[in-house]
Amino acid sequence: MFRHAPSSVSFKKLRKRLLRNMREAIDDYGMQTKKQKWLVCMSGGKDSYGLLALLLDLKWRGHLNVELLAANLDQAQPGFPSDVLPAYFEANSIPYHIERQDTYSIVKEKIPEGNTYCSLCSRLRRANLYRVAREHGCDAIILGHHRDDILETFFLNLMHGGRLASMPPKLKNEEGDLMVFRPLAYCAESDLEKFAEAMQFPIIPCDLCGSQDGLQRQQVKAMLQEFEAQHKGRTQVMFRALKNIRPSHMLDRDLFDFQGLSVDDDKAGDDHDDGEGCGAVTALSEGFLRMHEE
């Protein structure tokens, strides 16, 4: 996949940074614990191409001891170029499986016109991918969600779901027989966009949900992009906060024993607040207000 990659210094730095971020995520969350077979889910978008390329790069460098099987779920969308991914896999000698299931018709039938398709589409896609993974003897399915996806999901759950939750880099499915890994968890979307452009991946757009206007995720994405433009580096700080949670400073009684906490308890909390970061919090709050006003 890299035989036609640019030889520029800037691309080499980008490639190195993405590989470092991916390797850190794999190590931090113990994704590679034994020799495994991974089902790498390919949508044909920039993120899934980048995911596959970087995983193969890690294998080539001897840092990833797993068997990779690229898989695409052809959802029978009208006009979907079903020849693009197989041609790319074959041209690059990549083992692959194409699964054709008409989930498009199901989504169109079940979801009223004007509503977003993402939730049902995602559930149907995931169920089919779990089945394919089992049929091919895979231990895990590998998804191409990156740092920005994870942060956007956190704010979606915060503002619309009433809970503090996001996409974990490592998850066990409900049946308990498969793992779900997100090795791009530390990678920025802007880096993946540059990587995809430099690698000239044959991108396939999502015309099912990507053509819908007013999606809540797009609103959150726009808010975070505006915030990043005004406060460079703040999205990375917010992402880092997801790895630095203090249960004693939240309100979840299942995570911290507030009932049992007393002056006689040896647990001590830090009630010092020096106001650091208040400017960023204020700006973020203003972003929330603007988004809902719009």
Side-chain angles (χ1 to χ4, degrees), residues 151 155 224 227 233-242 284:
L151 193 57
F155 281 109
L224 291 174
F227 189 56
R234 289 300 187 181
T235 51
Q236 177 61 21
V237 173
M238 288 187 284
F239 179 78
R240 205 160 59 234
L242 298 181
L284 185 59

Side-chain angles (χ1 to χ4, degrees), residues 71-254:
N72 169 251
L73 176 62
D74 184 343
Q75 298 175 271
Q77 294 172 233
F80 180 78
S82 57
D83 60 320
V84 172
L85 281 169
Y88 188 79
F89 295 146
E90 290 172 10
N92 290 281
S93 302
I94 298 169
Y96 72 94
H97 172 79
I98 304 296
E99 181 74 13
R100 182 177 174 83
Q101 295 289 335
D102 189 3
T103 61
Y104 175 85
S105 296
I106 298 175
V107 171
K108 294 288 285 186
E109 176 187 348
K110 299 293 184 183
I111 303 296
E113 191 69 29
N115 290 9
T116 58
Y117 304 139
C118 300
S119 179
L120 178 57
C121 179
S122 177
R123 289 199 302 271
L124 293 173
R125 185 170 60 247
R126 188 68 58 87
N128 278 287
L129 289 172
Y130 282 160
R131 176 179 53 78
V132 171
R134 295 183 184 106
E135 290 174 355
H136 287 269
C138 296
D139 306 282
I141 69 170
I142 315 302
L143 304 177
H145 297 122
H146 46 67
R147 183 197 71 184
D148 299 73
D149 287 326
I150 292 172
L151 193 57
E152 289 161 15
T153 300
F154 170 79
F155 281 109
L156 281 170
N157 284 323
L158 173 67
M159 293 185 288
H160 300 286
R163 62 184 182 275
L164 296 181
S166 187
M167 297 173 172
K170 182 179 182 180
L171 176 72
K172 184 165 71 172
N173 70 334
E174 292 182 359
E175 293 80 0
D177 64 336
L178 289 170
M179 299 300 297
V180 179
F181 296 151
R182 296 181 172 94
L184 295 180
Y186 291 173
C187 298
E189 183 175 21
S190 57
D191 280 348
L192 290 166
E193 288 175 345
K194 295 173 186 175
F195 186 69
E197 182 178 358
M199 293 288 288
Q200 298 182 349
F201 295 135
I203 304 298
I204 301 174
C206 178
D207 295 323
L208 178 61
C209 55
S211 60
Q212 292 179 281
D213 295 326
L215 294 178
Q216 294 172 345
R217 181 173 291 275
Q218 294 302 319
Q219 293 177 333
V220 171
K221 179 186 288 289
M223 180 197 71
L224 291 174
Q225 288 176 343
E226 179 183 352
F227 189 56
E228 176 67 18
Q230 295 176 358
H231 304 273
K232 190 69 174 176
R234 289 300 187 181
T235 51
Q236 177 61 21
V237 173
M238 288 187 284
F239 179 78
R240 205 160 59 234
L242 298 181
K243 301 169 60 180
N244 185 23
I245 298 170
R246 299 184 181 182
S248 64
H249 286 56
M250 303 298 285
L251 281 74
D252 193 328
R253 291 173 295 169
D254 291 332

